[in-house]
Amino acid sequence: MKILLVEDNEMNRDMLSRRLQRKGYDVVIAVDGSQGLDVARREAPDLILMDMSLPVIDGWEATRQLKAAAETRGIPIIALTAHAMAGDREKALAAGCDDYDTKPIELPRLLGKIELLLPPAGQFQPADSAR
Amino acid sequence: MNAREERRLVTALFCDLVGFTPLTERLDAEQIRSIQTLYFERMSKEIARFGGNVEKYMGDAVLALFGIPTTVGNDAEHAVLCALSMQEAMIPLATEVAGRHGVQLAIRVGVNTGEAVSGLVEAGGRRDYSVTGDVINTAARLQTAAEPGGIMVGAESMRLARKSVRFGERRDLALKGKAHTVVAYQVLGARTGGADQEKEDRNETPLVARDYELGILLHAWERAKDGEGHLVAVMGDAGIGKSRLLTEATERFSGGNSGRHLWGRCVSHGQGISLWLIADLIRSLTGTLIRDSQATAREELRRTVHALLDTAADDVRDTVTDVLGEVLGLPLENPSSFSDDPQVRRQQLIRSLRLILIGLSAQGPAVVVLEDLHWVDAASSEILAEVLADVPGLRLLILAAHRPGWTAPWAEWSWIERLSLRPLAQSEATTLAQTILGGSTLSSEFEQYVTERSGGNPYFVEELLHALREADGIAIQGNQVQLVRSAAEALPSTLTEILLARLDRLEDNVRDLVQAASVIGRGFSVPLLIEVSGWDERSVQEALAGLAGLDIVSRQPGSRSDYAFKHVTMRDVAYNTLLQARRHDLHARIARALAAANSADESVEIIAYHFAHSGEHAEAAIWLERAADHSSDVYANETAIGHYEEARRRLELVGEHDAAVRIGEKLGGIFRLVAWYDEALEEFETAAALYRRNGDLEGEAGLVAQIGQVHFLRGAPEEAIDSIRDVVGRLEGDVDDVVSSPGLAALYTALVDPLYSLNRFEDALTAAWRALELARLLDDSSLLVEATVHYGLALQGIGRLDEARLVLDEAISLAEAAGDQASLAEALMLSGDLCVAEGRPRQGAERYRRALGISEDRGDLSGTAALLSRLGYTSFILGDWNAAREQHEQTVELVRSISFSYFSASALVTLGEHYLREGEADKASRYLEEPFTLAERSGRLSQIPYLHVPLADWDLTQDRPEAALNRLGPLMAKAVFETPLDHRAMQIAAEAQLLMGNDVAAAEIIERGMEHAEGQGNALARLGWLQVAAVLAAHGNDEEKAFALLATALDLCRGMPHIYEEGRILYRRGLLSQSPTAREDLAMACAIFERLGSRPHVERVQRELAKVAVAQ
């Protein structure tokens, strides 16, 4: 199961990727919005964790583009934001995000959201073992 | 074998014969032997006469010691006088040898005083003293430097003898076997005048605080003049001023002229010489000296007797002359009138002296001074008791001076008067010292040194000053005399000699007890002394009562110690006599007794002190560490540092290197607190290396967390992050969601501050949260408190003020519950920041003040500086600019004393900005440039854009929008709206854009800013945005909207209150051309700025007011 983490904050990126890997996920990484688009197209992840305040192209715009393109439209996206601005959640959903979470990441909560959005585990078992 | 050893002040005299070797070639053994015997006999006789002991004969040399086994208090003086006497005694012998054998025989003498170890050795029924110490070798070497017939003495001996001996210039001798040159003086001769000479010397010392005693003496003199003779006994310790008082009194009696008085002075070496005092009185009567020839002495005696007994028959006068002459050792003129019966001769002497006194009285009132009677010889004492019984009927005043402990033969007489001289009070001793030093005022440290060490003894005051002067221990600063501490440690040997003499008069076992007590300290309790001495209680109590009677100790009712040495110097002298080994042993015993008897908390420092002075390093280290922990708990940081360092040294001595490193860890913590960052880093890094070597990753992590904190505090956040991240990586591998690690929690906590200071708020949030997660898993209260505080900080950084407030409130109660003062202060400070941002500056100030109290108590310098700076900000907001200025100035002063504080640069800028607002441009410029170099030098480049914010603000108020925009370039590119400073920067940028006509760009910034400020609940930021929005509206000619926005802002800031912003808002409203309240607004703004003391703002407002007046 492959997750793309688009995150510019180094500490957050390191920690989240490490913890997701320990949970058995394959994690690929991008450090800004434009790189996020490239990696999403190339790696076809099963899910994207998208920070909203990104350099170059921000998370809102990257999400819009991913949801607009046929090849990436089906990938579920969870928006991550550190700012608890009123309306951020609605704004994220409007941009096409499938779910939304606030930093700091509480891992069990995030894992719950991830599980909900991913297809049933068994289906992807062969791909996993081929890795 | 039993040995009783001591360290003590000893004077050694070394005498050697020159010219003897050629003689041995010429004479046979028998002749040589007889000359040698004669020489040794004469020398030994002189040595014995002056109270010395012959220690050894070596070939033709003699070594004699003075002050051993007991001292009389002026042994060095005796030794030098003895040397002179020996030279004199050699003259007849040398003359004889020269005449008979044609060889010039002479002696050279060396005298030296210093500390030596002396031991009484009892072996095979014999008691012997052995003395070891460099003092003896040096005496021998000094002897070789003397001329034949000459005497060379060391510096200490010179000091002690200079009252009665004349010396040549100081000489620095390079002596064989000595690494350094030795200071030496050649003896020129004895001072001639005896008592009179001494009178001159002593007059140099001012007489202080003896008016009462002088009054009594003057009164007694008046009565004596009327024929009512009197005896006043003056009693007091050595140096207390007996002689000085008597000199002063006799001068007053005679109105400054040399009146009619006799001086008889006893000397310690005269105790064994029959009728010494009577002889001295006769010499005084006749005005002759010991060294005068017999013919002169005889002639003067006859003249005096004839003059005094002018009405007596010739044969009476002749007999009296003969009787008195015999006392002086003069040959008899009429041997026939002399009886062989000693009883008869004694009666003759008594009768003669009576006649003399009667004769003296008949010719006018006279004074007889008897000094140092405690050294009187037995025969003189008996005679005096008889003769002085006549005094009440004569015009005579007898003044008899002695030390306590001597019983006078007239003790039972009812008509005499007794005066006891007490030590000077503290203020009197100070006056005396001042007078001696020429009237300058003394620093309190100096005053305390002199009064405490002298114990109110005037001679001690004088000697202390003398010794200080010689050691360059006196410095004059301004008009005040200051003590140079380094020079003030050694005790002048003059004092040591006197005090040692008092100790020497004690029984051996009582002396042991005094020594044991001296190790306990100046004050000591009876139970402890019993425990340490091994004596039973009754013996101890009895001995102490006796010592109290001798004024050596005194009872201390109502204090922790039962007794104390009356004189701190006495304690020091007793302590100094102890050999190192015995000192160590006693200290260890005291420490153990204290540790067994007391709860350790109370006495830990005293126990540590005693162990530290024992040879038991391991125990010393344990107690020193406890004492240090104790000091550190009460934030006595300097003391703690001293104890830890000593504990570590002891551990190193016993090879406990790991334990020593563990102490270093604690030391590092204190160094960090007191902002010695380099030292802290060194300690922490050493400790971290040890953990690494031992493969203790957890221990290493804890230290690296501290290292990170120090890097952050010294202004190097990147280094902090780098050093921490490496260990985080290694630890994270071992940790999962159920297994935690305290080290890892500490590391994440330590990451928050540096990340925050680099504006990496999201990362700071991540780190703080992770720390919190780990701490919760561990259920460790101290880690939890720290993590919570930092989580609050991170939330604040990201602009989530509501959440931050809740978290910080929780942190405050957690810290209070855990008693964690450091975290409490931190949480209060952050919580105060929130209050300020939310528009509640008063509450903010309250929290800052509470936190400041804690930080000051802890001695936390960087924390104190941070809080002072914040208090300065709230003072500014609340309109108390005087307080604000003072607080900012204090902050700057403090950060300058810290090796490098993470916010030094911003503290300087803030003060500079304050001066700008007050119109002090010159002062301001001093603080506005330096921070940039400071930040650059420290590599804190990310801070630089923020340093420009206050300056950009100022550019704006001075109508320089372009300059402001230039300054804000980097921050505008980032366009973040998180911290209050971010908001402020963007507000300035927006207004500058407006002033330059870029309304669209400005509108965009304003919209985003307002949105963030409202979302964050940042009232302070909102206040700024409302104003910029109003300026935008006014630009679009919507003055109504502008007016409304400003009215909202005005309400908001009056609610805080924020006085300065109120003035700014009123000013802005006054600029609206359509405003009905323009004039009133400007007038109010002017009043506010005047009250605040902001000249530049007042001038601006006044210009606008003038325009309004013209328009109307």
Side-chain angles (χ1 to χ4, degrees):
Chain A
M1 198 82 56
K2 190 188 285 178
I3 293 177
L4 165 61
L5 172 60
V6 191
E7 169 65 277
D8 62 326
N9 296 294
E10 187 187 343
M11 183 82 45
N12 210 13
R13 195 170 60 223
D14 289 358
M15 188 177 304
L16 196 51
S17 61
R18 183 164 48 219
R19 297 177 86 179
L20 288 171
Q21 277 163 358
R22 197 175 292 151
K23 292 292 169 195
Y25 294 103
D26 194 3
V27 180
V28 286
I29 279 170
V31 299
D32 61 48
S34 122
Q35 203 183 52
L37 290 174
D38 292 347
V39 178
R41 284 178 203 127
R42 196 174 64 232
E43 298 276 341
D46 300 298
L47 183 137
I48 298 173
L49 295 172
M50 178 78 75
D51 183 26
M52 288 291 115
S53 51
L54 288 169
V56 191
I57 297 175
D58 71 17
W60 320 104
E61 181 54 31
T63 302
R64 258 175 240 122
Q65 291 192 26
L66 287 170
K67 289 298 179 183
E71 42 174 343
T72 51
R73 183 177 298 149
I75 307 174
I77 298 178
I78 299 178
L80 300 177
T81 169
H83 301 273
M85 300 287 290
D88 266 9
R89 186 188 165 82
E90 287 67 31
K91 209 166 137 193
L93 297 180
C97 291
D98 299 86
D99 206 343
Y100 173 88
D101 202 9
T102 321
K103 294 180 186 177
I105 301 299
E106 283 187 45
L107 200 62
R109 190 179 67 204
L110 181 64
L111 288 174
K113 290 183 178 183
I114 291 173
E115 294 301 324
L116 279 177
L117 288 170
L118 283 176
Q123 220 177 309
F124 287 83
Q125 213 55 47
D128 257 357
S129 45
R131 192 171 58 216
Chain B
M1 196 182 95
N2 170 35
R4 188 182 193 287
E5 293 194 313
E6 278 192 339
R7 297 156 71 94
R8 51 186 298 139
L9 200 65
V10 168
T11 299
L13 179 151
F14 201 96
C15 162
D16 201 5
L17 206 51
V18 280
F20 195 66
T21 316
L23 207 57
T24 55
E25 288 160 6
R26 212 171 305 172
L27 303 177
D28 70 39
E30 203 174 316
Q31 283 176 305
I32 292 171
R33 180 92 190 132
S34 89
I35 293 173
Q36 257 185 335
T37 309
L38 208 55
Y39 155 73
F40 281 130
E41 265 177 22
R42 297 223 172 141
M43 296 303 108
S44 307
K45 191 179 149 207
E46 292 307 311
I47 290 165
R49 195 154 78 83
F50 285 90
N53 289 307
V54 173
E55 169 82 2
K56 234 178 243 173
Y57 299 104
M58 289 161 282
D60 307 322
V62 184
L63 168 65
L65 295 175
F66 293 75
I68 290 265
T70 59
T71 170
V72 289
N74 50 353
D75 308 285
E77 184 185 357
H78 285 180
V80 179
L81 288 172
C82 176
L84 278 167
S85 241
M86 286 161 81
Q87 290 291 8
E88 228 168 285
M90 269 305 286
I91 294 168
L93 181 65
T95 315
E96 195 187 323
V97 170
R100 203 179 294 171
H101 308 290
V103 170
Q104 210 51 50
L105 212 54
I107 53 168
R108 295 186 301 211
V109 189
V111 177
N112 189 40
T113 305
E115 201 169 74
V117 173
S118 78
L120 168 63
V121 184
E122 287 180 48
R126 267 195 50 179
R127 286 162 70 96
D128 241 329
Y129 279 91
S130 77
V131 177
T132 40
D134 189 51
V135 52
I136 293 167
N137 297 331
T138 307
R141 302 281 182 223
L142 284 167
Q143 173 268 132
T144 61
E147 299 287 317
I151 303 161
M152 193 67 83
V153 314
E156 257 341 281
S157 309
M158 184 282 291
R159 267 182 213 120
L160 290 161
R162 64 182 152 205
K163 285 216 157 138
S164 47
V165 177
R166 289 179 294 117
F167 293 94
E169 292 289 298
R170 170 194 165 121
R171 291 164 64 173
D172 293 301
L173 301 177
L175 298 178
K176 203 175 133 191
K178 294 270 160 204
H180 304 287
T181 57
V182 172
V183 177
Y185 297 84
Q186 194 184 351
V187 173
L188 300 180
R191 292 190 186 274
T192 46
D196 280 336
Q197 171 69 39
E198 206 156 305
K199 198 169 77 184
E200 278 170 35
D201 290 347
R202 292 197 189 177
N203 268 350
E204 291 164 11
T205 316
L207 186 72
V208 165
R210 296 293 189 214
D211 293 340
Y212 167 76
E213 291 84 351
L214 264 180
I216 288 181
L217 297 180
L218 286 168
H219 181 67
W221 175 239
E222 290 307 317
R223 283 166 61 188
K225 282 202 286 193
D226 292 343
E228 205 182 319
H230 209 56
L231 186 154
V232 183
V234 179
M235 186 177 80
D237 278 328
I240 203 73
K242 299 182 293 296
S243 301
R244 180 69 189 85
L245 173 69
L246 299 185
T247 307
E248 183 76 20
T250 51
E251 267 172 23
R252 300 259 185 115
F253 298 164
S254 55
N257 304 317
S258 61
R260 302 179 71 240
H261 48 242
L262 304 185
W263 285 78
R265 184 170 171 243
C266 307
V267 290
S268 56
H269 59 273
Q271 272 172 289
I273 302 171
S274 209
L275 297 174
W276 168 280
L277 176 59
I278 302 297
D280 204 48
L281 278 170
I282 298 169
R283 280 191 293 267
S284 169
L285 181 72
T286 60
T288 55
L289 304 171
I290 290 185
R291 56 182 56 218
D292 284 338
S293 73
Q294 292 195 341
T296 312
R298 175 100 215 162
E299 184 44 42
E300 286 302 317
L301 179 60
R302 184 208 305 279
R303 209 181 45 75
T304 309
V305 170
H306 277 246
L308 282 177
L309 309 185
D310 50 353
T311 58
D314 274 353
D315 64 325
V316 173
R317 295 201 284 212
D318 288 346
T319 308
V320 169
T321 306
D322 255 358
V323 168
L324 298 186
E326 201 221 0
V327 174
L328 297 182
L330 303 177
L332 299 175
E333 287 208 336
N334 309 293
S336 59
S337 66
F338 240 72
S339 164
D340 285 339
D341 183 348
Q343 251 339 87
V344 175
R345 280 165 62 173
R346 181 170 169 271
Q347 287 308 321
Q348 280 184 320
L349 177 57
I350 290 170
R351 190 161 158 264
S352 302
L353 288 170
R354 282 185 151 158
L355 288 172
I356 292 291
L357 289 188
I358 291 164
L360 201 59
S361 161
Q363 293 180 1
V367 188
V368 179
V369 179
L370 305 170
E371 271 196 280
D372 290 333
L373 278 168
H374 43 276
W375 283 325
V376 73
D377 60 282
S380 295
S381 177
E382 272 177 46
I383 304 270
L384 274 179
E386 302 267 348
V387 173
L388 295 181
D390 293 349
V391 166
L394 299 173
R395 290 196 285 171
L396 290 180
L397 174 61
I398 315 296
L399 301 177
H402 62 88
R403 297 183 189 168
W406 177 73
T407 312
W410 48 79
E412 302 293 315
W413 298 356
S414 60
W415 54 273
I416 69 161
E417 188 139 15
R418 291 173 189 82
L419 262 185
S420 182
L421 291 192
R422 306 302 304 167
L424 301 179
Q426 191 162 333
S427 62
E428 295 164 348
T430 305
T431 307
L432 175 61
Q434 269 179 344
T435 317
I436 294 172
L437 291 172
S440 322
T441 55
L442 312 181
S443 72
S444 59
E445 189 193 16
F446 198 101
E447 194 178 313
Q448 198 199 343
Y449 174 84
V450 170
T451 54
E452 199 171 82
R453 286 226 162 172
S454 69
N457 184 308
Y459 174 66
F460 285 16
V461 171
E462 197 184 359
E463 285 301 314
L464 279 167
L465 295 178
H466 206 106
L468 275 180
R469 212 177 257 149
E470 283 185 354
D472 294 324
I474 301 178
I476 310 282
Q477 272 172 19
N479 232 352
Q480 208 183 41
V481 180
Q482 306 273 354
L483 186 68
V484 180
R485 263 277 155 211
S486 56
E489 287 316 313
L491 208 54
S493 47
T494 37
L495 270 63
T496 308
E497 237 190 4
I498 287 175
L499 295 169
L500 204 50
R502 291 180 59 192
L503 285 181
D504 279 349
R505 288 202 293 275
L506 304 174
E507 298 280 336
D508 277 357
N509 60 339
V510 176
R511 238 177 101 94
D512 285 343
L513 192 72
V514 169
Q515 285 174 330
S518 80
V519 180
I520 298 175
R522 187 175 181 190
F524 50 91
S525 76
V526 172
L528 184 57
L529 189 55
I530 291 169
E531 173 101 23
V532 173
S533 65
W535 288 27
D536 62 68
E537 172 160 14
R538 225 188 72 188
S539 313
V540 168
Q541 291 285 14
E542 272 175 20
L544 287 175
L547 288 167
L550 291 171
D551 253 9
I552 289 175
V553 301
S554 64
R555 273 192 161 283
Q556 301 283 298
S559 104
R560 259 169 69 127
S561 43
D562 301 322
Y563 281 89
F565 282 92
K566 283 206 74 164
H567 206 291
V568 66
T569 322
M570 175 62 96
R571 181 258 157 200
D572 293 347
V573 168
Y575 184 80
N576 287 341
T577 59
L578 285 165
L579 293 187
Q580 205 74 19
R582 181 136 185 268
R583 253 184 232 180
H584 282 176
D585 176 52
L586 281 167
H587 276 298
R589 279 156 69 179
I590 291 164
R592 287 211 184 83
L594 284 172
N598 295 275
S599 75
D601 273 0
E602 203 177 321
S603 313
V604 59
E605 297 201 316
I606 297 173
I607 298 169
Y609 162 83
H610 284 295
F611 269 126
H613 286 79
S614 77
E616 313 202 358
H617 301 310
E619 290 267 31
I622 291 170
W623 285 93
L624 281 164
E625 186 181 355
R626 281 194 206 170
D629 291 346
H630 187 252
S631 303
S632 152
D633 285 347
V634 297
Y635 310 119
N637 296 327
E638 262 177 64
T639 314
I641 290 171
H643 288 334
Y644 280 135
E645 284 181 336
E646 185 60 19
R648 173 161 64 183
R649 198 178 67 83
R650 299 300 175 114
L651 287 171
E652 295 285 2
L653 281 177
V654 292
E656 295 272 357
H657 302 298
D658 286 7
V661 171
R662 196 174 39 74
I663 300 235
E665 203 178 323
K666 292 187 178 183
L667 256 176
I670 299 182
F671 286 148
R672 177 185 53 201
L673 193 62
V674 298
W676 295 10
Y677 299 132
D678 291 343
E679 288 81 353
L681 275 182
E682 198 184 321
E683 299 296 347
F684 288 147
E685 269 158 11
T686 309
L690 175 74
Y691 284 114
R692 201 173 305 131
R693 271 201 308 280
N694 294 343
D696 180 350
L697 192 52
E698 264 301 316
E700 188 187 348
L703 276 157
V704 170
Q706 311 217 54
I707 289 171
Q709 284 175 15
V710 177
H711 278 311
F712 163 69
L713 286 170
R714 61 190 271 271
E718 287 95 345
E719 264 176 83
I721 294 168
D722 288 347
S723 58
I724 293 173
R725 241 195 357 209
D726 164 53
V727 190
V728 167
R730 282 193 275 147
L731 259 176
E732 274 284 9
D734 300 342
V735 172
D736 59 28
D737 295 338
V738 283
V739 179
S740 185
S741 145
L744 193 58
L747 286 170
Y748 276 119
T749 302
L751 274 171
V752 178
D753 283 323
L755 287 170
Y756 184 99
S757 76
L758 293 170
N759 304 318
R760 291 172 57 180
F761 301 118
E762 289 198 26
D763 278 342
L765 188 70
T766 303
W769 177 253
R770 183 76 179 118
L772 199 57
E773 270 185 346
L774 291 164
R776 280 180 182 154
L777 263 176
L778 284 163
D779 198 20
D780 177 317
S781 66
S782 81
L783 285 174
L784 190 63
V785 174
E786 282 173 33
T788 309
V789 173
H790 284 87
Y791 185 50
L793 170 69
L795 284 171
Q796 189 177 354
I798 213 103
R800 285 152 66 174
L801 304 191
D802 286 345
E803 284 172 79
R805 191 187 323 110
L806 292 174
V807 169
L808 287 171
D809 284 349
E810 193 196 339
I812 289 173
S813 28
L814 282 171
E816 278 171 341
D820 180 344
Q821 298 293 301
S823 295
L824 180 57
E826 185 109 33
L828 283 167
M829 179 172 89
L830 296 174
S831 167
D833 289 350
L834 276 181
C835 291
V836 172
E838 288 170 349
R840 291 176 287 129
R842 285 209 171 92
Q843 276 161 284
E846 228 167 77
R847 274 161 220 220
Y848 292 152
R849 237 172 257 125
R850 203 176 145 208
L852 181 66
I854 298 171
S855 292
E856 282 176 340
D857 281 351
R858 297 182 65 230
D860 175 356
L861 296 187
S862 66
T864 301
L867 284 158
L868 274 171
S869 164
R870 282 165 162 87
L871 273 170
Y873 186 48
T874 48
S875 298
F876 156 70
I877 290 178
L878 293 167
D880 187 352
W881 284 23
N882 285 329
R885 187 189 324 107
E886 217 166 273
Q887 283 151 341
H888 287 313
E889 282 169 350
Q890 281 176 10
T891 309
V892 165
E893 204 174 301
L894 207 52
V895 296
R896 284 200 193 280
S897 77
I898 298 175
S899 41
F900 188 79
S901 155
Y902 71 99
F903 81 122
S904 294
S906 65
L908 291 172
V909 168
T910 308
L911 181 58
E913 187 187 17
H914 187 87
Y915 285 138
L916 278 182
R917 286 193 184 120
E918 293 192 320
E920 302 269 6
D922 284 352
K923 266 193 190 171
S925 66
R926 250 184 283 155
Y927 295 96
L928 292 173
E929 282 156 31
E930 193 186 343
F932 292 95
T933 32
L934 214 57
E936 269 163 30
R937 209 173 51 214
S938 70
R940 292 222 46 201
L941 301 179
S942 64
Q943 197 186 28
I944 291 178
Y946 288 97
L947 294 177
H948 281 287
V949 175
L951 294 170
D953 198 356
W954 193 248
D955 285 334
L956 203 57
T957 54
Q958 301 302 302
D959 302 318
R960 297 191 297 257
E962 224 166 325
L965 281 180
N966 272 338
R967 287 188 184 281
L968 297 175
L971 291 178
M972 283 168 64
K974 277 173 58 188
V976 287
F977 300 87
E978 276 151 359
T979 65
L981 203 56
D982 288 332
H983 278 288
R984 193 169 161 215
M986 296 311 288
Q987 285 159 9
I988 298 162
E991 194 166 353
Q993 296 281 26
L994 281 173
L995 290 177
M996 291 176 68
N998 305 328
D999 288 17
V1000 180
E1004 195 193 323
I1005 300 175
I1006 294 168
E1007 191 192 341
R1008 289 184 63 193
M1010 189 67 92
E1011 190 191 358
H1012 275 88
E1014 278 168 359
Q1016 293 162 351
N1018 190 333
L1020 216 52
R1022 193 165 155 251
L1023 189 61
W1025 289 120
L1026 283 168
Q1027 293 181 62
V1028 194
V1031 178
L1032 176 67
H1035 261 238
N1037 287 322
D1038 190 350
E1039 285 216 346
E1040 211 171 312
K1041 187 180 174 191
F1043 192 89
L1045 284 166
L1046 289 174
T1048 310
L1050 203 55
D1051 284 347
L1052 185 61
C1053 86
R1054 279 178 176 159
M1056 293 182 179
H1058 194 318
I1059 313 295
Y1060 177 69
E1061 287 300 325
E1062 188 183 339
R1064 297 233 308 188
I1065 295 165
L1066 285 167
Y1067 170 67
R1068 288 184 195 283
R1069 217 164 66 170
L1071 293 184
L1072 297 178
S1073 53
Q1074 312 292 315
S1075 166
T1077 59
R1079 204 187 148 76
E1080 289 83 348
D1081 286 345
L1082 286 175
M1084 271 159 71
C1086 192
I1088 286 176
F1089 288 130
E1090 265 172 5
R1091 200 171 73 231
L1092 290 174
S1094 177
R1095 229 175 36 236
H1097 281 295
V1098 169
E1099 282 164 12
R1100 271 172 77 88
V1101 181
Q1102 277 172 345
R1103 275 202 300 276
E1104 294 302 326
L1105 265 172
K1107 279 191 219 162
V1108 175
V1110 170
Q1112 285 173 352

